[in-house]
């Protein structure tokens, strides 16, 4: 890497230090539960402008309904966002359909939520695009009940209740224990005192299919991953342990084969998706590529996050679905 480029990258990280992102500790040697922390860079969210009318009190019969769809990361966005929308609009009840998988993975406990199919009369509303904050949905009038259809992939929907969302997304004891055992294996492998764990999620899989590539889906190149690893290595030197999770581990091993002798790298294999996410969430910092799975792993982990800044190919169907400021979480380092 050229000296001036390295200087710029390190300067970016210094900025993160100054806003308090790197003073973060994570305890993962527990056998039950997950340590949760408030966001290091809280955002002031004001949704008082309500063109659809506002109710000053919750309506006892007002209900929001959503049917979860997609994979784990998508479902987490829909669940977190519907809770945030209910809070914005002072809705009393939330009905989540097809939520069985989330119930198995997390210790969901919000008393406002029920998990069942609903036949109640409601008004349907769909999002304008997948990766934006749709203000119409954030300003619904709670004198009616609504069925919301969409992926709702924006942190803005739930930033005002981020502590509640963190509490909801505490992994089950069984999953948390499995993650802890795997992290113990990592420590035994490297025997690094005061290790700094950097979780790395590399999304490939169906994003490499021609059908999705034509829609605009991208995978991060090897160069981005190495560049991000260099940032953390410069900060923590030999104390850094990179924990790699991927849906295409063979490609990942090949791509990083030239640096396995330079860095402490542990490739996670044979885990379920939820255990991989739990492992990543217990790391101190995170490197993510594309996709909502990595997004949530980084958000739950806290610490410093580097993210590939090109989640969609320009001038495609997918790029038209994005407002990047609604998608990328504030304080994350966007790198190409």
């Amino acid at each position: 890497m050229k000296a001036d480029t390295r200087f710029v990258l390190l300067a970016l990280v210094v900025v993160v230090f100054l806003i308090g992102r790197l003073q973060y500790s994570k305890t993962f040697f527990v056998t039950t539960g997950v340590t949760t922390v408030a966001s290091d860079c809280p955002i002031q969210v004001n949704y008082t402008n309500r063109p659809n009318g506002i109710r000053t009190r919750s309506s006892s019969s007002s209900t929001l309904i959503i049917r979860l769809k997609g994979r784990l990361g998508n479902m987490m966005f829909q669940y977190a966002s519907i809770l945030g929308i209910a809070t914005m609009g002072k809705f009393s009840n939330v009905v989540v359909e097809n939520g069985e998988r989330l119930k198995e993975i997390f210790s969901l406990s919000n008393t406002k939520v029920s998990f069942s199919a609903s036949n109640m009369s409601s008004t349907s509303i769909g999002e304008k695009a997948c990766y934006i904050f749709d203000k119409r949905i954030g300003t619904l009038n709670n004198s009616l009940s609504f069925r919301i259809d969409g992926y709702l992939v924006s942190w803005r929907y739930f930033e005002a209740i981020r502590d509640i969302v963190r509490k909801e997304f505490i992994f089950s004891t069984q999953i948390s224990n499995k993650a802890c055992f795997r992290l113990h294996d990592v420590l035994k492998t490297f025997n690094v005192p005061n290790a700094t764990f950097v979780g790395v999620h590399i999304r490939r899989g169906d994003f490499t299919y021609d059908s999705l590539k034509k829609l605009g889906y991208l995978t991060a190149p090897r160069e981005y991953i190495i560049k991000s690893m260099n940032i953390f290595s410069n900060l923590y030197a030999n104390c850094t342990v990179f924990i790699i999770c991927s849906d295409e581990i063979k490609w990942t091993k090949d791509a990083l084969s030239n640096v396995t002798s330079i860095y402490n790298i542990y490739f996670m294999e044979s885990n379920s998706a939820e255990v991989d996410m739990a492992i990543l969430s217990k790391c101190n910092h995170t490197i993510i590529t594309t996709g909502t799975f990595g997004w949530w792993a980084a958000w739950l982990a806290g610490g410093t996050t580097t993210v590939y800044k090109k989640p969609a190919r320009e001038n495609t169907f997918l790029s038209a679905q994005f407002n990047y400021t609604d998608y990328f979480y504030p304080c994350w380092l966007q790198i190409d």
Side-chain angles (χ1 to χ4, degrees), residues 23-182:
Q23 298 303 317
Y24 179 87
S25 62
K26 177 79 68 171
T27 300
F28 54 80
F29 297 108
V30 294
T31 57
T32 58
V34 173
T35 301
T36 59
V37 295
S39 170
D40 292 317
C41 49
I43 311 298
Q44 296 298 319
V45 182
N46 184 357
Y47 299 122
T48 57
N49 181 21
R50 300 179 56 78
N52 294 332
I54 184 169
R55 305 272 296 196
T56 57
R57 294 176 296 179
S58 297
S59 170
S60 60
S61 60
S62 62
T63 301
L64 292 179
I65 308 165
I66 191 167
R67 182 171 183 80
L68 303 187
K69 56 186 177 181
R71 297 181 179 180
L72 179 57
N74 286 328
M75 289 185 174
M76 292 173 69
F77 263 111
Q78 292 155 46
Y79 183 83
S81 294
I82 201 71
L83 291 182
I85 295 165
T87 300
M88 292 182 220
K90 300 184 184 299
F91 286 83
S92 299
N93 309 297
V94 173
V95 175
V96 175
E97 301 174 344
N98 195 34
E100 290 75 16
R101 189 174 184 216
L102 289 190
K103 290 173 63 178
E104 293 173 355
I105 295 172
F106 301 107
S107 301
L108 304 180
S109 60
N110 196 296
T111 57
K112 184 181 292 187
V113 179
S114 61
F115 294 87
S116 59
S118 175
N119 294 320
M120 73 169 56
S121 177
S122 59
T123 300
S124 295
I125 182 170
E127 64 185 0
K128 290 182 177 179
C130 298
Y131 298 90
I132 68 167
F133 172 68
D134 189 337
K135 293 182 179 180
R136 299 172 310 135
I137 295 177
T139 57
L140 296 175
N141 189 323
N142 68 11
S143 63
L144 301 172
S145 292
F146 291 89
R147 176 178 288 273
I148 298 179
D149 180 29
Y151 287 93
L152 307 178
V153 182
S154 173
W155 58 271
R156 294 185 188 275
Y157 285 116
F158 54 84
E159 178 64 17
I161 60 162
R162 60 185 178 274
D163 291 339
I164 293 174
V165 174
R166 288 185 181 277
K167 181 180 178 182
E168 288 296 278
F169 289 152
I170 294 176
F171 290 91
S172 71
T173 300
Q174 182 182 24
I175 292 172
S176 184
N177 285 346
K178 288 180 179 179
C180 291
F181 291 147
R182 294 306 307 271

Side-chain angles (χ1 to χ4, degrees), residues 241-257:
V241 177
F242 295 100
I243 299 174
I244 314 290
C245 297
S246 177
D247 56 357
E248 197 171 314
I249 202 69
K250 183 182 184 303
W251 180 94
T252 302
K253 286 183 175 181
D254 291 341
L256 300 181
S257 59

Side-chain angles (χ1 to χ4, degrees), residues 284-304:
N284 302 100
H285 310 290
T286 318
I287 297 169
I288 59 175
T289 55
T290 54
T292 56
F293 184 99
W295 195 105
W296 278 107
W299 191 86
L300 291 174
T304 298

Side-chain angles (χ1 to χ4, degrees), residues 204-221:
R204 290 183 59 81
D206 57 346
F207 282 12
T208 66
Y209 296 173
D210 287 341
S211 58
L212 291 188
K213 289 166 68 174
K214 289 178 181 178
L215 293 175
Y217 286 86
L218 288 176
T219 56

